[in-house]
């Protein structure tokens, strides 16, 4: 089939491609991006809103089935009545231009709030408002701009999971051609002079040329495309020297056989591409083998409360939830699975899912979706799906819910690769010029060998494999890190800020004494049920201390972060929290206290005697050697003397801090150059966790998960925090040593290449071996770190 080159992305495309403005484009995405940037504004793009494309009647009728509710329910992963989310398989996703168009669907129709492309799976996840828009209209819009989705209720998942075997095909073609070219080159190798070989020598050479064409223009095409896109974007990526070496070898070899100057280097050319692809294949296999075991279980150490058949409440791990389980969801908890509301007044905040902060009211019998946060007391629900089937598993790793925190080390890696490429090109040019004067026959071999042996692929691999393996190790040790960049940020911190209650104190061993007017039975009942709906550490502690009481429905519940909670049942209204919140004066005795009033009458207070976490003093003494330490607490100074005895002398102790105060404290010190690690309980500290360079939420057995945090640390591993930070710093050291090993390898290889002692085909074998050796090195060393961590 005749092929042309796409003007925008440089890919080859057939004659059915789009022609526009005397130029050819391989897809609608490329054409639209060209229109936008050629006009230098968005006018032509917004013109599409009125008529994004003509929809043939047969296409429109084809999707009539998308108006049926039962089918919509199967194809959508979220539906709260106002917003739906659907993931559609788009086989026509072709390049970065397609991604750009599909992620800007909101500009084509304002009812679409967001769209995210998974290029590897060729899917787009679309969030849209259902008041004036539907799934059918979404599909028709995609079809009108050239991205008709593949929808089959039976084969929908299969369509998304097709294995891409392109690399295997390319490797097969390159290997087949390499073997045949080597066979045809034997007479040239041994300089055999028989008559019949001399007669057919030119035929053999042109056959080698023919075998090389599919290798260069199909098997090696990705290197040229990547290099072209990089140069067009004024970037020098690692494929530039490879593409240049392939091009030089092919052109030189073609010229030699065309003018009968020699047999060329077709054996080296096909061997080079074959071994490059073989290295890429083994790298992919190695990467798959080291899959880091990061499924949804790695992200959710948190638990949820299960209500058994006898009415007892017990915490269970989120991923142990099964269909039919009855769950208790407290105030500010995320709903972990899709389910049906059984009891309670639900006010659900789906902002984690939809981006809309408006809460949605639900009544008994309504469907609840995973990812929503209950904001008005306690509710009971029945799970209708397991966690892996619900939307929550995508939340934490979704970049929509994370702030942009600089990925400095990755930038360093890219910078090194860029400078390395410039140095390599310079060495190749200088060495070639030298050999052109000394021994022209070696010049081309030297040029290609330098370009291949010095490819910085090993440098690019060291960081992802080191961080990735460490993510797996951390997860096994109950330290659940969001992504690799968090490990890098953790290695660079110089200040650590701790919350007190629920962070350095343990809720399980705390005790409390009551001082005040005795509570009536109805007041004790209301107190217990009000505490039942809160996730604050003091609320959970007091709830566990109080005697068992029957469960009663609350007519009103509201939690005021940093102040307290209030609720009502029948004619009784209760407030629980700080002295000012319940309307009394603070005591002169500085202890951690929770005050109570009913119907605006002050009753008394519970005084807490905290139990600090095991190994707290040792942890702080280890940390003080390298970091500035701060305790930033919302409580009063009642624990000041105890903390001074437990903690190092240079630890800053700051009390009476509201959630906003903590956030502003971190922000100010960041402007002064501090790189802050915030360790908190994940509820009152959500803002501080988000503002810090790294936010770690301590988790016991309550579901206060928030995408604001960067990592979740199991409370039983709190005393291992120093070792986790130390391991992160060691990971940076491993990467630096990987760079050193790669540089040593390249210096040795360059010596043999520049001096003309290294054939290009040998260089092509050594290059992928260097990459694999870096992977092995980083894996072994990080595993050693992991073993030390597990013993510490």
């Amino acid at each position: 089939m005749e092929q042309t080159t796409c003007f925008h992305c440089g890919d080859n495309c057939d004659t059915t491609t789009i022609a526009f403005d005397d130029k050819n484009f391989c897809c609608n995405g490329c054409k639209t991006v060209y229109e936008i940037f050629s006009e230098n504004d968005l006018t032509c793009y917004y013109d599409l809103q009125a008529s994004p494309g003509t929809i043939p009647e047969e296409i429109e009728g084809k999707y009539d089935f998308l108006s049926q509710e039962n089918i919509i329910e199967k194809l959508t992963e979220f539906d709260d009545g106002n917003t739906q989310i659907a993931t559609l398989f788009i086989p026509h996703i072709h390049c970065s231009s397609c991604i750009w168009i599909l992620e800007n669907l909101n500009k084509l129709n304002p009812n679409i709030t967001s769209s995210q492309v998974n290029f590897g799976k060729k899917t787009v996840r679309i969030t849209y408002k259902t008041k004036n828009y539907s799934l059918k209209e979404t599909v028709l819009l995609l079809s009108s701009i050239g991205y008709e989705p593949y929808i089959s209720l039976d084969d929908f998942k299969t369509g998304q999971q097709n294995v891409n075997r392109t690399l295997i095909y390319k490797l097969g073609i390159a290997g087949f051609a390499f073997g045949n070219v080597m066979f045809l080159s034997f007479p040239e190798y041994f300089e055999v002079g028989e008559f019949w070989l001399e007669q057919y020598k030119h035929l053999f050479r042109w056959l080698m040329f023919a075998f090389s064409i599919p290798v260069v223009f199909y098997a090696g095409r990705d290197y040229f495309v990547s290099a072209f896109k990089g140069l067009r974007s004024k970037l020098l990526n690692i494929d530039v020297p490879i593409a240049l070496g392939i091009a030089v070898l092919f052109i030189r070899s073609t010229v030699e056989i065309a003018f009968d100057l020699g047999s060329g280097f077709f054996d080296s050319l096909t061997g080079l591409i074959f071994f490059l692809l073989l290295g890429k294949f083994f790298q992919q296999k190695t990467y798959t083998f080291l899959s880091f075991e990061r499924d949804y279980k790695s992200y959710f150490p948190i638990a949820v409360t299960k209500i058994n058949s006898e009415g007892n409440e017990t915490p269970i791990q989120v991923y142990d939830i099964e269909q039919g389980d009855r769950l208790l969801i407290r105030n500010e908890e995320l709903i972990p699975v899709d389910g049906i509301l059984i009891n309670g007044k639900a006010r659900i905040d789906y902002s984690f899912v939809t981006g809309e902060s408006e809460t949605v009211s639900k009544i008994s019998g309504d469907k609840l979706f995973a990812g929503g946060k209950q904001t008005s007391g306690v509710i009971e629900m029945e799970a209708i799906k397991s966690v892996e089937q619900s939307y929550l598993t995508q939340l934490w790793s979704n970049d929509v819910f994370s702030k942009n925190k600089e990925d400095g080390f990755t930038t360093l890696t890219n910078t090194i690769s860029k400078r390395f490429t410039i140095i390599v090109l310079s060495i190749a040019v200088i060495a070639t010029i030298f050999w052109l004067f000394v021994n022209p026959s070696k010049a081309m071999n030297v040029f290609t060998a330098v370009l291949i042996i010095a490819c910085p692929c090993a440098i690019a691999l060291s960081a992802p494999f080191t961080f990735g393996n460490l993510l797996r190790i951390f997860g096994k040790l109950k330290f659940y890190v969001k992504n690799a960049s968090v490990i890098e940020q953790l290695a660079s911190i110089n200040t650590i800020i701790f919350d007190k209650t629920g962070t350095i104190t343990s809720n399980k061993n705390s005790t409390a004494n009551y001082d005040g007017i005795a509570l009536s039975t109805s007041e004790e009942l209301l107190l217990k049920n009000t505490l039942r709906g809160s996730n604050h550490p003091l609320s959970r502690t007091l709830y566990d201390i109080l005697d068992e009481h029957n469960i009663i429905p609350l007519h009103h519940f509201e939690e005021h972060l940093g102040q307290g909670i209030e609720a009502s049942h029948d004619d009784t209204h209760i407030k629980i929290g700080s002295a000012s919140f319940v309307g009394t004066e603070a005591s002169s005795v500085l202890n951690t206290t929770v005050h109570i009033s009913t119907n605006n009458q002050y009753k008394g207070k519970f005084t807490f005697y905290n139990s600090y976490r095991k190994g707290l003093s040792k942890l702080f003494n280890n940390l003080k050697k390298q970091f500035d330490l701060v305790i930033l607490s919302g409580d009063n100074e009642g624990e000041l003397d105890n903390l001074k005895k437990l903690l190092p002398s240079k630890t800053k102790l700051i009390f009476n801090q509201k959630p906003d105060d903590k956030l502003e404290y971190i922000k100010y010190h960041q402007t002064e150059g501090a790189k802050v690690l915030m360790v908190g309980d994940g509820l009152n500290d959500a803002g501080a966790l988000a503002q810090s360079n790294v936010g770690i939420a301590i988790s016991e057995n309550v579901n206060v998960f928030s995408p604001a945090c960067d990592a979740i640390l199991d409370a039983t591993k709190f005393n291992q925090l120093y070792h986790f930070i130390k391991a992160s710093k060691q990971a940076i050291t491993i990467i630096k040593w990987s760079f050193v090993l790669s540089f040593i390898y390249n210096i040795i290889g360059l010596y043999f290449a520049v001096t003309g002692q290294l054939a290009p085909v040998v260089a092509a074998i050594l290059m992928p071996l260097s990459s694999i050796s870096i992977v092995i090195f980083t894996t072994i060393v990080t595993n050693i770190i992991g073993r030390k961590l597990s013993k510490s």
Side-chain angles (χ1 to χ4, degrees):
M1 181 180 290
E2 182 183 352
Q3 289 190 329
T4 56
T5 301
C6 175
F7 180 80
H8 176 72
C9 71
D11 285 351
N12 292 328
C13 35
D14 57 42
T15 52
T16 61
T17 190
I18 301 167
F20 175 78
D21 198 19
D22 296 327
K23 296 175 178 64
N24 295 304
F25 299 91
C26 60
C27 62
N28 273 286
C30 286
K31 170 181 172 290
T32 307
V33 173
Y34 167 76
E35 288 181 90
I36 292 170
F37 289 105
S38 62
E39 297 291 337
N40 202 29
D41 59 37
L42 292 173
T43 304
C44 58
Y45 188 64
Y46 286 116
D47 286 344
L48 294 173
Q49 292 187 44
S51 179
T54 304
I55 306 174
E57 291 183 6
E58 60 271 18
I59 293 292
E60 189 167 2
K62 177 181 177 181
Y63 293 109
D64 284 343
F65 68 91
L66 292 179
S67 300
Q68 300 178 29
E69 291 296 328
N70 60 331
I71 294 179
I72 293 174
E73 185 176 356
K74 291 181 179 180
L75 293 176
T76 52
E77 56 195 60
F78 177 85
D79 182 3
D80 68 348
N82 298 314
T83 301
Q84 287 181 349
I85 298 176
T87 299
L88 301 173
F89 176 56
I90 311 287
H92 308 298
I93 296 179
H94 180 75
C95 63
S96 58
S97 299
C98 301
I99 297 173
W100 191 91
I101 291 297
L102 291 172
E103 291 194 341
N104 283 275
L105 292 176
N106 59 308
K107 296 176 181 175
L108 289 177
N109 194 303
N111 290 302
I112 297 176
T113 57
S114 69
S115 50
Q116 293 176 301
V117 172
N118 185 321
F119 186 75
K121 294 182 178 179
K122 294 189 180 295
T123 61
V124 57
R125 182 156 50 90
I126 304 174
T127 304
Y128 54 92
K129 299 181 183 298
T130 55
K131 184 177 181 181
N132 300 312
Y133 209 58
S134 66
L135 178 61
K136 177 183 177 181
E137 290 173 302
T138 303
V139 170
L140 291 175
L141 172 65
L142 290 169
S143 302
S144 71
I145 60 175
Y147 294 98
E148 184 176 0
Y150 171 78
I151 300 177
S152 170
L153 293 181
D154 294 327
D155 304 324
F156 183 62
K157 289 186 178 179
T158 304
Q160 296 183 38
Q161 298 173 354
N162 287 334
V163 178
N164 188 346
R165 296 186 174 86
T166 304
L167 178 59
I168 298 175
Y169 298 150
K170 291 180 178 180
L171 183 61
I173 289 173
F176 174 78
F178 176 45
N180 281 278
V181 170
M182 289 286 288
F183 177 75
L184 292 170
S185 299
F186 279 152
E188 304 278 357
Y189 291 155
F190 299 106
E191 298 181 355
V192 179
E194 277 82 4
F195 173 76
W196 69 274
L197 288 175
E198 287 293 328
Q199 286 293 102
Y200 291 100
K201 179 171 64 176
H202 297 290
L203 174 62
F204 290 167
R205 289 177 177 176
W206 283 108
L207 283 173
M208 289 189 288
F209 169 78
F211 278 119
S212 300
I213 289 176
V215 177
V216 173
F217 294 101
Y218 173 67
R221 174 176 173 271
D222 290 342
Y223 295 105
F224 291 102
V225 171
S226 176
F228 172 75
K229 289 181 177 179
L231 291 173
R232 186 180 60 188
S233 302
K234 299 180 180 180
L235 298 174
L236 278 176
N237 59 34
I238 60 178
D239 289 327
V240 171
I242 296 177
L244 187 57
I246 294 172
V248 168
L249 272 175
F250 182 73
I251 295 170
R252 166 69 186 274
S253 301
T254 304
V255 170
E256 284 198 5
I257 66 169
F259 294 96
D260 198 20
L261 300 175
S263 59
F265 302 90
F266 292 115
D267 51 348
S268 296
L269 172 64
T270 53
L272 163 64
I273 297 175
F274 172 72
F275 287 115
L276 284 173
L277 294 174
L278 188 64
K280 184 182 291 187
F281 175 77
F282 279 112
Q283 288 165 14
Q284 284 189 2
K285 285 295 182 183
T286 307
Y287 193 89
T288 303
F289 178 73
L290 298 172
S291 60
F292 310 146
E293 303 170 13
R294 297 185 65 222
D295 59 6
Y296 69 95
K297 297 179 183 180
S298 299
Y299 295 128
F300 302 105
I302 49 181
V304 68
T305 302
K306 177 182 176 181
I307 304 174
N308 60 26
S309 57
E310 298 175 356
N312 297 324
E313 299 173 3
T314 56
I316 62 169
Q317 292 288 324
V318 165
Y319 50 83
D320 289 336
I321 298 173
E322 298 178 356
Q323 182 178 351
D325 284 350
R326 189 156 181 157
L327 307 176
L328 177 73
I329 309 297
R330 297 186 178 89
N331 192 55
E332 297 296 318
E333 282 188 356
L334 286 189
I335 298 171
V337 293
D338 296 347
I340 301 297
L341 178 62
I342 304 298
N343 287 324
K345 296 180 180 179
R347 293 280 296 171
I348 310 298
D349 176 5
Y350 282 119
S351 59
F352 286 171
V353 180
T354 65
E356 302 288 339
S357 59
E358 183 178 353
T359 57
V360 179
S361 296
K362 297 291 182 180
I363 59 174
S364 180
D366 285 348
K367 187 175 181 179
L368 305 178
F369 288 90
K373 183 169 69 174
Q374 165 65 354
T375 63
S376 181
V378 65
I379 59 173
E380 295 178 17
M381 61 173 285
E382 181 177 317
I384 60 174
K385 290 183 180 179
S386 59
V387 173
E388 64 266 35
Q389 296 174 311
S390 299
Y391 185 78
L392 183 62
T393 60
Q394 304 176 40
L395 278 180
W396 199 24
S397 57
N398 193 331
D399 290 338
V400 171
F401 308 112
S402 63
K403 48 184 279 192
N404 291 324
K405 298 183 177 181
E406 285 189 52
D407 192 6
F409 200 82
T410 301
T411 302
L412 175 62
T413 303
N414 292 336
T415 302
I416 290 176
S417 296
K418 177 183 176 181
R419 293 176 179 174
F420 192 83
T421 301
I422 294 174
I423 293 171
V424 168
L425 291 175
S426 301
I427 292 174
V429 171
I430 293 171
T432 303
I433 293 174
F434 171 80
W435 282 105
L436 283 173
F437 289 100
V438 176
N439 187 348
S441 63
K442 286 188 175 183
M444 193 55 59
N445 277 347
V446 169
F447 182 75
T448 52
V450 170
L451 293 179
I452 303 311
I453 199 67
C455 176
C457 295
I459 294 176
L461 284 173
S462 58
F465 274 91
T466 301
F467 287 140
N469 202 30
L470 202 59
L471 283 172
R472 177 185 64 83
I473 292 168
F474 281 177
K476 283 187 173 181
L477 298 174
K478 300 184 178 181
F479 181 41
Y480 305 88
V481 180
K482 188 173 183 179
N483 53 44
S485 65
V486 174
I487 297 179
E488 176 205 340
Q489 292 289 331
L490 192 59
S492 66
I493 62 164
N494 53 33
T495 302
I496 305 179
I497 297 176
F498 293 87
D499 175 48
K500 183 174 75 71
T501 305
T503 301
I504 65 173
T505 63
S506 173
N507 301 331
K508 294 182 179 180
N509 300 319
S510 296
T511 59
N513 291 334
Y514 179 70
D515 180 23
I517 303 172
L519 300 176
S520 66
T521 302
S522 62
E523 288 174 332
E524 285 185 1
L525 181 63
L526 180 56
L527 171 63
K528 180 79 172 181
N529 280 273
T530 302
L531 295 169
R532 180 174 180 255
S534 173
N535 255 322
H536 190 278
L538 290 180
S539 298
R540 303 307 316 140
T541 301
L542 188 55
Y543 177 81
D544 293 334
I545 292 173
L546 294 176
D547 295 332
E548 290 292 332
H549 282 281
N550 295 328
I551 305 302
I552 61 172
L554 299 176
H555 298 153
H556 170 73
F557 179 97
E558 187 173 0
E559 185 159 5
H560 305 268
L561 292 182
Q563 299 180 58
I565 51 180
E566 60 178 317
S568 61
H569 175 71
D570 292 337
D571 296 329
T572 306
H573 181 267
I574 192 170
K575 282 188 171 184
I576 310 166
S578 65
S580 59
F581 179 70
V582 302
T584 188
E585 294 183 2
S587 171
S588 58
V589 179
L590 295 178
N591 289 105
T592 301
T593 56
V594 170
H595 298 262
I596 299 170
S597 70
T598 58
N599 294 330
N600 296 321
Q601 179 186 0
Y602 181 72
K603 289 291 186 177
K605 64 182 179 181
F606 282 92
T607 302
F608 288 83
Y609 300 93
N610 291 313
S611 172
Y612 291 96
R613 295 196 185 278
K614 180 181 177 181
L616 177 66
S617 294
K618 183 179 179 181
L619 172 64
F620 271 66
N621 283 320
N622 285 330
L623 292 172
K624 76 171 183 178
K625 301 171 185 176
Q626 301 180 45
F627 308 103
D628 293 328
L629 302 179
V630 182
I631 299 292
L632 207 59
S633 175
D635 293 336
N636 56 43
E637 298 180 4
E639 295 288 327
L640 180 61
D641 292 336
N642 288 337
L643 289 173
K644 283 184 176 180
K645 295 175 184 177
L646 283 170
L647 305 181
S649 58
K650 294 183 179 180
T651 305
K652 295 180 182 178
L653 303 172
I654 305 173
F655 298 91
N656 300 305
Q657 298 293 295
K658 296 178 180 178
D660 289 343
D661 296 331
K662 295 180 181 181
L663 190 152
E664 291 300 324
Y665 181 90
I666 292 174
K667 186 184 294 185
Y668 171 77
H669 282 81
Q670 285 175 327
T671 62
E672 298 292 312
K675 295 183 179 179
V676 179
L677 165 63
M678 175 67 194
V679 185
D681 58 34
L683 182 61
N684 289 345
D685 303 320
L689 291 169
Q691 177 61 40
S692 61
N693 297 82
V694 178
I696 298 178
I698 299 295
S699 172
E700 294 210 50
N701 61 355
V702 290
N703 185 10
V704 281
F705 167 77
S706 169
C709 68
D710 300 300
I712 300 175
L713 178 62
D714 190 285
T716 60
K717 298 293 182 178
F718 176 77
N719 59 352
Q720 301 297 312
L721 179 62
Y722 170 74
H723 298 290
F724 289 125
I725 299 173
K726 182 179 178 181
S728 300
K729 292 181 178 293
Q730 290 173 332
I732 302 299
T733 304
I734 292 171
I735 294 171
K736 290 179 179 178
W737 274 110
S738 299
F739 287 173
V740 171
L741 291 175
S742 181
F743 285 137
I744 291 173
Y745 164 82
N746 283 306
I747 289 171
I748 296 172
L750 281 172
Y751 167 77
F752 287 102
V754 169
T755 56
Q757 303 177 58
L758 190 66
V761 67
V762 178
I765 297 172
L766 294 178
M767 193 279 296
L769 288 179
S770 70
S771 300
I772 295 172
S773 66
I774 290 294
V775 171
I776 293 172
F777 168 74
T778 57
T779 304
I780 291 175
V781 179
T782 49
N783 284 339
I784 292 173
I785 292 175
R787 281 195 291 270
K788 290 181 179 178
L789 273 174
S790 61
K791 293 178 181 178
S792 60

